[in-house]
Amino acid sequence: MSIKDKAYIVGIYEHPTRLATDKTVMMLHAEVAAGALADAGLTKNDIDGYFCAAGDTPGLGQLSAADYLGLKTRHIDSTDVGGSSYLLQVGHAAEAIALGKCSIALITLAGRPRAEGMATGTQPRAPAVPMPESGFESPYAPATANMYAMAAMRHMYQYGTTSEQLAWVKVAASHHAQYNPHAMLKDVVTVEDVVNSPMIADPLHRLDCCVISDGGGAIILTTPEIAKSLKRPLVKVIGAGEAPKHQMGGKVDLTYSGAVWSGPLAFAEAGVKPADIKYASIYDSFTITVVMQLEDLGFCEKGQGGRFVSDGNLISGVGKLPFNTDGGGLCNNHPSNRGGLTKVLEAVRQLRGEAHPKVQVANCDVALAHGTGGSLGTRHAAATVIMERE
Amino acid sequence: MAQAQDRKISAPAVNLETQHFWDGAAEGKLLYKKCTQCGEPHFYPRTHCPFCFSDKTEWAEASGKGTVYTYSVMRRAPIPYAIAYVTLAEGPTMMTNIVDCDLDSIKIGQAVRLVFKPSEGGPPVPMFTPA
């Protein structure tokens, strides 16, 4: 049994706000849900499966959200593994639809860390309830930036990756963001701009880090039959994979991510290879995240990611693998400190032919969205989704 | 030159599974766990071996010798500090801080030795300094 061709993405919406001082988190969830429903041509009471991540949704799992939104469903999934949760949920929703457990699935993400003044990357986060590893990590002040930085430092040591190579990821994102009116950072930057920006956590500079933004997004998936009755371009899920990676009992290896497992699962299910992918949305919490995930997904050999992203290879119309044509997390937005959902949105726009004309990939028939939730430096969940235009 | 300064270290969360580890820390010992069934050492210490899942694990004392697997100096902090993973001579790699040195001199592969630093209201915490 496979999810290939069993579920179609018929509704997407990205909240235009980047600073939501005038909205609650639940208002944002409701607004993105309404936006995706309008895009699909469906109404709230059509939803019979609701997917959200416990970590960005107020309340116990999704219960308060289901109450607030007035949902009556027959399938519940509040899986939370951080920023990649929504990529997992696209796969989970496709599974539920394939099995007949629901027919119209809604996925939402929303948050306002910027309005709340959160120092997302540099402030260690203390969990309300200690985790089993807490005593062995919290005293050392792990934040988000220095955890990814340790992966970057090891990658540089082991493979000769340079700060200039990492900077190309940001340069490519900025080339795309200039065409996105909603992007937080619209200025095109150079490699020099990135490597001369202030050091945050060696070897990551300020411009190696994604933005801190408010907002959110939503996705609606449905059955082939319902999708064909709607008036939207037909974009279907053809493969999905997910995998956790962690410290492996002390056999720590920060040179690769869980994409080495999630990627092959998704490619095998979809029956395509990296060379078939016309556009890739790659979670860009930091520039190093993109380099490692591209290697692990098989777009280049292990250790060659720095060379692969250099010289504009990720810029639409210039390079071989157009990525994050909305500007990604590095320039556009990173709602609720979670970049997985917006990765799906831009991939769907590309497949529909609805990306900005300056960044639209010609004949974009197969696209990939991939993300890392948690941290490359400790433990994370990798998730890969492959989609096709019919 | 950016000499490491002492910063306030939060007290580690101690539970019934890790009390023995922190009692050892108070005596200047760095403990890890070893599985008596498959022989694999592991870190952080837990009751069930994460490799063979046996609950026949026992405590062992590390020599305190290790090498830097990777590190990063957090510059955007009131007091810059170096976080690291250090691979112990006994095998497992653990998260830690590199202290009492020039932060700009730290290198991957560098030999380091165990030191303990006081925490705020908790047991001392194992850290490393250049050997």
Side-chain angles (χ1 to χ4, degrees):
Chain A
M1 178 120 192
S2 154
I3 60 167
K4 188 176 184 181
D5 304 340
K6 301 285 176 57
Y8 287 62
I9 297 176
V10 293
I12 58 167
Y13 185 75
E14 178 176 337
H15 205 292
T17 190
R18 300 293 177 265
L19 178 61
T21 47
D22 58 341
K23 295 180 192 300
T24 65
V25 172
M26 279 317 304
M27 285 170 71
L28 293 169
H29 274 282
E31 289 176 7
V32 296
L37 286 166
D39 182 50
L42 293 165
T43 64
K44 191 260 292 179
N45 291 342
D46 294 324
I47 299 162
D48 64 355
Y50 181 43
F51 298 71
C52 64
D56 78 77
T57 311
L60 179 61
Q62 65 170 242
L63 294 181
S64 292
D67 184 344
Y68 181 100
L69 298 170
L71 297 176
K72 186 172 183 300
T73 62
R74 58 192 175 102
H75 197 79
I76 294 171
D77 187 335
S78 318
T79 303
D80 190 1
V81 286
S84 61
S85 299
Y86 321 91
L87 288 155
L88 273 83
Q89 287 170 357
V90 167
H92 294 184
E95 291 166 17
I97 289 167
L99 286 169
K101 296 294 184 183
C102 65
S103 59
I104 296 178
L106 168 70
I107 307 172
T108 65
L109 153 74
R112 53 200 295 281
R114 191 176 171 207
E116 288 159 14
M118 184 175 180
T120 299
T122 53
Q123 184 67 43
R125 298 184 207 177
V129 179
M131 302 171 289
E133 69 275 13
S134 287
F136 304 98
E137 297 185 3
S138 297
Y140 307 115
T144 303
N146 60 0
M147 291 292 97
Y148 281 78
M150 285 205 290
M153 194 69 90
R154 185 70 198 187
H155 205 274
M156 289 177 163
Y157 173 84
Q158 203 152 326
Y159 302 116
T161 307
T162 66
S163 289
E164 287 74 15
Q165 290 173 336
L166 294 184
W168 270 107
V169 176
K170 169 73 174 188
V171 171
S174 77
H175 270 266
H176 299 146
Q178 66 179 312
Y179 304 112
N180 182 349
H182 300 302
M184 256 182 85
L185 306 176
K186 297 185 193 67
D187 292 340
V188 174
V189 301
T190 65
V191 168
E192 290 69 31
D193 290 336
V194 179
V195 298
N196 291 327
S197 63
M199 191 64 85
I200 301 295
D202 304 12
L204 298 178
H205 305 80
R206 183 166 190 197
L207 296 188
D208 286 300
C209 308
C210 68
V211 300
I212 299 170
S213 79
D214 300 344
I219 301 166
I220 294 173
L221 295 97
T222 190
T223 64
E225 295 72 29
I226 295 172
K228 284 165 189 170
S229 74
L230 300 170
K231 296 186 177 67
R232 302 304 287 143
L234 290 172
V235 172
K236 59 189 179 184
V237 178
I238 60 171
E242 61 193 55
K245 183 188 175 243
H246 44 69
Q247 294 174 337
M248 301 176 291
K251 297 181 191 290
V252 174
D253 186 341
L254 300 192
T255 60
Y256 70 94
S257 72
V260 297
W261 301 306
S262 71
L265 289 171
F267 280 114
E269 187 164 48
V272 300
K273 297 185 285 295
D276 299 317
I277 302 296
K278 304 287 175 50
Y279 163 82
S281 280
I282 305 291
Y283 194 168
D284 51 347
S285 47
F286 299 90
T287 52
I288 183 63
T289 324
V290 175
V291 168
M292 283 178 51
Q293 291 171 127
L294 287 172
E295 293 172 350
D296 297 338
L297 290 167
F299 287 103
C300 62
E301 280 182 37
K302 189 71 212 171
Q304 297 297 309
R307 285 186 188 83
F308 182 81
V309 302
S310 292
D311 304 322
N313 201 35
L314 302 180
I315 300 175
S316 185
V318 175
K320 286 186 186 143
L321 185 67
F323 101 123
N324 298 7
T325 42
D326 60 339
L330 288 167
C331 296
N332 176 24
N333 68 347
H334 192 224
S336 194
N337 306 317
R338 290 158 172 255
L341 194 141
T342 48
K343 297 295 163 289
V344 178
L345 302 184
E346 185 66 3
V348 172
R349 289 189 201 105
Q350 282 286 353
L351 292 166
R352 286 177 171 182
E354 293 179 353
H356 190 284
K358 292 282 192 184
V359 298
Q360 176 66 50
V361 176
N363 304 314
C364 187
D365 55 351
V366 182
L368 172 148
H370 175 85
T372 296
S375 174
L376 280 184
T378 50
R379 51 199 66 80
H380 62 263
T384 313
V385 175
I386 301 175
M387 294 154 277
E388 183 177 13
R389 182 189 67 210
E390 192 168 289
Chain B
M1 177 88 180
Q3 184 63 29
Q5 300 171 52
D6 284 341
R7 61 180 183 86
K8 288 184 177 176
I9 296 160
S10 63
V14 180
N15 63 33
L16 61 88
E17 216 174 346
T18 62
Q19 183 70 51
H20 189 73
F21 176 91
W22 295 107
D23 289 346
E27 296 169 10
K29 296 176 184 171
L30 172 61
L31 303 180
Y32 64 100
K33 275 261 179 129
K34 195 167 180 181
C35 179
T36 61
Q37 298 297 301
C38 73
E40 285 275 3
H42 73 257
F43 202 91
Y44 61 88
R46 61 206 85 172
T47 304
H48 288 80
C49 171
F51 302 106
C52 75
F53 215 45
S54 163
D55 63 357
K56 305 289 188 293
T57 54
E58 64 183 17
W59 293 99
E61 184 180 351
S63 63
K65 293 176 185 167
T67 55
V68 176
Y69 170 76
T70 189
Y71 71 97
S72 174
V73 178
M74 175 58 94
R75 308 283 174 179
R76 295 279 291 184
I79 298 172
Y81 61 96
I83 198 159
Y85 277 109
V86 162
T87 303
L88 303 177
E90 291 76 15
T93 298
M94 63 177 280
M95 188 184 291
T96 190
N97 288 153
I98 307 297
V99 296
D100 300 337
C101 66
D102 174 8
L103 294 174
D104 295 333
S105 73
I106 301 168
K107 287 188 169 50
I108 290 176
Q110 180 174 12
V112 289
R113 64 177 172 81
L114 176 69
V115 294
F116 280 90
K117 290 285 179 182
S119 69
E120 290 191 297
V125 174
M127 296 189 173
F128 289 83
T129 193

